[in-house]
């Protein structure tokens, strides 16, 4: 038998992803960012005497990317998507008058 009480029911579609999956995603983004940084630092070393302008751009990327990678990795968990409320209010029924008839809309009885 089902319990009919005041217990709250949660929708699984509104649940956030698991903590382990969230940490794995952050680690993946951080490793990709640091790999791009490593490639840019190596490109800076290789291009310094060949193409100085490109080397300066890759150097700037190598300097700025660790900060961006840490900010992205520490961005926090995603917010749960907002779903419509499961609460359905009861319909409002007009009260009966003293004589048993429904009150007239907008007019009061004397």
């Amino acid at each position: 038998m089902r319990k009919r009480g005041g217990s709250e029911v949660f929708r699984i579609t509104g649940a956030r992803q698991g903590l382990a999956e969230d940490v794995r995603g952050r680690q993946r983004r951080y490793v990709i960012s640091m790999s791009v940084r490593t490639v840019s630092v190596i490109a800076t070393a290789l291009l310094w005497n060949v193409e100085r302008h490109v080397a300066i751009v890759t150097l700037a990327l190598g300097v700025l990317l660790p900060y961006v990678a840490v900010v992205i990795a520490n961005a926090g968990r995603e917010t749960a998507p907002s779903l419509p409320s499961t609460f359905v209010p009861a319909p409002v029924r007009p009260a009966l008058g003293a004589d048993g008839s429904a009150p007239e809309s907008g007019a009061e009885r004397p």
Side-chain angles (χ1 to χ4, degrees), residues 34-103:
M34 289 297 104
S35 299
V36 170
R37 177 185 187 253
T38 303
V39 168
S40 69
V41 169
I42 292 170
T44 300
L46 295 175
L47 295 173
W48 191 256
N49 289 328
V50 179
E51 190 68 38
R52 181 87 33 123
H53 298 295
V54 177
I56 291 173
V57 170
T58 59
L59 180 64
L61 182 65
V63 168
L64 295 176
L65 201 54
Y67 172 75
V68 173
V70 169
V71 168
I72 290 172
N74 292 332
R77 298 187 73 182
E78 83 285 349
T79 56
S82 61
L83 295 173
S85 174
T86 57
F87 176 72
V88 178
V92 178
R93 298 182 189 167
L96 294 177
D99 59 355
S101 64

Side-chain angles (χ1 to χ4, degrees), residues 7-54:
S7 64
E8 191 174 349
V9 177
F10 296 97
R11 292 183 182 190
I12 192 64
T13 56
R16 297 193 299 185
Q17 68 183 33
L19 183 60
E21 188 178 335
D22 182 57
V23 169
R24 193 174 329 122
R26 289 189 207 188
Q27 288 174 343
R28 185 178 310 124
R29 287 189 301 268
Y30 186 78
V31 167
I32 290 169
S33 301
M34 289 297 104
S35 299
V36 170
R37 177 185 187 253
T38 303
V39 168
S40 69
V41 169
I42 292 170
T44 300
L46 295 175
L47 295 173
W48 191 256
N49 289 328
V50 179
E51 190 68 38
R52 181 87 33 123
H53 298 295
V54 177

Side-chain angles (χ1 to χ4, degrees), residues 1-7 9:
M1 279 182 97
R2 285 191 222 170
K3 286 186 176 180
R4 296 194 185 238
S7 64
V9 177

